[in-house]
């Protein structure tokens, strides 16, 4: 079955899907995106993802490409046409196509919209959950507005590549004070000696992950205590558990960082309990 993508008003074969060479996303990374999980035929946390899209667009003064209701119809159609019941969709909105010029194009230029969907490799995810992943730390070198889910991801790309070259799966950005920020494509959590979950406040300097927000709803019925508090690399090395969250993975246990073993070197029970409870608590929208 051929994969289908939505590009600026048309459903087209994925292999032929293309945007114009003067799309501002292509030339300036002048756009935003969302990645959303699909599980058992439901879109997970769709409202929160679209709320964040709205915030990213308004921070960059990019118009919505269509109404929210119409966008949901497109997302559903892309998922249906690709027969994705367990996987994800990706959507990207850019400021549109215009002759190359740093300033915004004239008002009325339509933004570009691309929506794709794919199935995820359940076996690969299960393996990461069972074995845990390795991470490295890297110095923060991104711009100040990483709270916007912009497609400008070059530092994240370089950091992930560096992690791969060190045999790890995630890179964790660390600020100049030695405090942990977030992963290249995840938020970072630790469980301290008292069993409290710590994650950096999202007011500034990290992306407010949707999985991170929903995890707070999941933690309550599990009786887990959460503190939004920055922690150092040393505290992270000494943590009982470390895990990273994102829509693509929910919550992957991290069992080694910079070659140091975390906890007993095996995935912890808190990450597992959260992962198991997550889908029940999260918002579910039928495809
Ligand atoms: N990334 N921090 C960064 C820098 C991210 O890129 C992501 C997600 C997150 C977690 O956000 P959420 O829980 O909303 O997925 C945190 C997506 C999955 C990506 O770029 O593929």
């Amino acid at each position: 079955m051929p994969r289908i993508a939505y590009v600026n008003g048309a459903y087209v074969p994925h292999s032929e899907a293309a945007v114009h060479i003067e799309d501002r996303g292509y030339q300036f990374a002048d756009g935003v995106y969302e990645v959303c999980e699909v599980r058992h035929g439901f879109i997970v946390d769709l409202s929160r993802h679209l709320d964040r899209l709205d915030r990213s667009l308004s921070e960059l003064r990019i118009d919505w490409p269509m109404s929210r209701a119409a966008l949901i119809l497109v997302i559903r159609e892309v998922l249906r046409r690709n027969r994705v019941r367990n996987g994800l969709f990706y959507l990207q909105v850019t400021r549109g196509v215009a002759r190359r010029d740093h300033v915004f194009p004239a008002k009325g230029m339509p933004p570009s919209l691309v929506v794709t969907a794919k199935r995820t490799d359940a076996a690969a995810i299960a393996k990461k959950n069972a074995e845990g992943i390795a991470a490295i730390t890297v110095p923060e070198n991104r711009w100040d507005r990483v709270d916007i889910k912009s497609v400008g991801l070059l530092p994240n790309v370089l950091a992930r590549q560096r992690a791969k070259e060190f045999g790890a799966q995630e890179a964790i950005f660390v600020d100049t004070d030695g405090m942990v920020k977030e992963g290249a494509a995840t938020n970072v959590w630790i469980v301290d000696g008292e069993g409290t979950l710590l994650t950096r406040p999202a007011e500034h300097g990290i992306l407010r992950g949707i999985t991170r927000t929903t995890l707070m709803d999941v933690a309550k019925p599990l009786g887990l205590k959460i503190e939004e508090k920055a922690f150092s690399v040393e505290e992270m090395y000494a943590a009982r558990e470390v895990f990273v969250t994102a829509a693509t993975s929910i919550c992957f246990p991290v069992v080694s960082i910079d070659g140091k073993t975390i906890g007993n070197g095996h995935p912890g029970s808190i990450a597992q309990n959260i992962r198991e409870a997550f889908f029940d608590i999260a918002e579910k929208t039928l495809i």
Side-chain angles (χ1 to χ4, degrees):
M1 188 197 69
R3 280 184 75 194
I4 301 293
Y6 175 90
V7 185
N8 291 328
Y11 295 93
V12 291
H14 192 272
S15 54
E16 291 161 26
V19 292
H20 195 275
I21 53 166
E22 290 209 295
D23 189 284
R24 289 178 64 96
Y26 179 60
Q27 288 188 330
F28 295 116
D30 188 1
V32 301
Y33 75 106
E34 281 295 329
V35 179
C36 197
E37 194 203 1
V38 176
R39 199 191 295 191
H40 308 317
F42 292 93
I43 303 170
V44 179
D45 281 330
L46 180 62
S47 305
R48 281 179 173 160
H49 280 277
L50 295 182
D51 289 348
R52 185 173 62 187
L53 174 68
D54 184 52
R55 180 180 181 277
S56 297
L57 288 170
S58 84
E59 289 295 316
L60 297 183
R61 293 191 276 154
I62 298 175
D63 292 334
W64 271 74
M66 56 179 61
S67 71
R68 186 165 167 138
L71 180 57
I72 293 172
L73 288 179
V74 170
I75 291 167
R76 284 201 168 117
E77 190 59 26
V78 170
L79 290 169
R80 276 196 219 118
R81 288 188 187 218
N82 289 283
R83 301 209 189 117
V84 172
R85 292 184 55 78
N86 288 286
L88 56 85
F89 73 78
Y90 173 86
L91 79 81
Q92 173 171 320
V93 182
T94 75
R95 205 181 303 276
V97 177
R99 204 173 68 163
R100 188 176 184 277
D101 184 354
H102 288 66
V103 297
F104 295 175
K107 271 237 156 290
M109 288 295 227
S112 299
L113 171 64
V114 169
V115 182
T116 58
K118 68 172 183 186
R119 293 176 194 167
T120 40
D121 181 349
I125 292 175
K127 188 171 185 295
K128 283 184 179 170
N129 286 331
E131 294 174 5
I133 64 167
I136 60 165
T137 58
V138 291
E140 175 66 287
N141 60 354
R142 299 174 299 163
W143 74 323
D144 201 37
R145 293 306 310 276
V146 292
D147 56 298
I148 299 170
K149 202 161 171 58
S150 136
V151 294
L153 290 172
L154 198 45
N156 311 56
V157 166
L158 295 177
R160 264 282 170 96
Q161 180 60 26
R162 193 175 161 86
K164 187 178 177 199
E165 286 162 10
F166 278 88
Q169 290 78 41
E170 182 57 305
I172 297 173
F173 289 113
V174 176
D175 70 17
T176 46
D177 297 324
M179 305 301 277
V180 171
K181 294 199 80 183
E182 64 180 331
T186 56
N187 290 120
V188 181
W189 298 73
I190 65 170
V191 180
D192 72 9
E194 272 81 60
T196 302
L197 273 72
L198 301 182
T199 197
R200 189 176 173 114
E203 273 62 50
H204 184 76
I206 65 166
L207 182 76
R208 188 184 291 278
I210 302 305
T211 318
R212 176 188 179 283
T213 302
T214 297
L215 195 150
M216 300 198 184
D217 301 338
V218 175
K220 265 180 235 151
L222 293 178
L224 297 167
K225 196 172 157 229
I226 291 185
E227 267 183 55
E228 289 187 76
K229 188 169 157 264
F231 50 85
S232 68
V233 175
E234 296 305 324
E235 286 173 285
M236 181 170 71
Y237 291 153
R240 215 190 263 181
E241 284 185 37
V242 177
F243 57 88
V244 292
T245 57
T248 42
S249 55
I250 303 304
C251 134
F252 280 150
V254 181
V255 294
S256 106
I257 302 174
D258 296 333
K260 296 175 177 55
T261 302
I262 305 301
N264 62 8
H266 296 287
S269 58
I270 291 187
Q272 191 185 338
N273 292 345
I274 287 169
R275 194 166 48 249
E276 286 170 0
F278 194 92
F279 183 67
D280 285 342
I281 307 274
E283 180 202 45
K284 293 169 278 293
T285 306
L286 197 61
I287 296 172

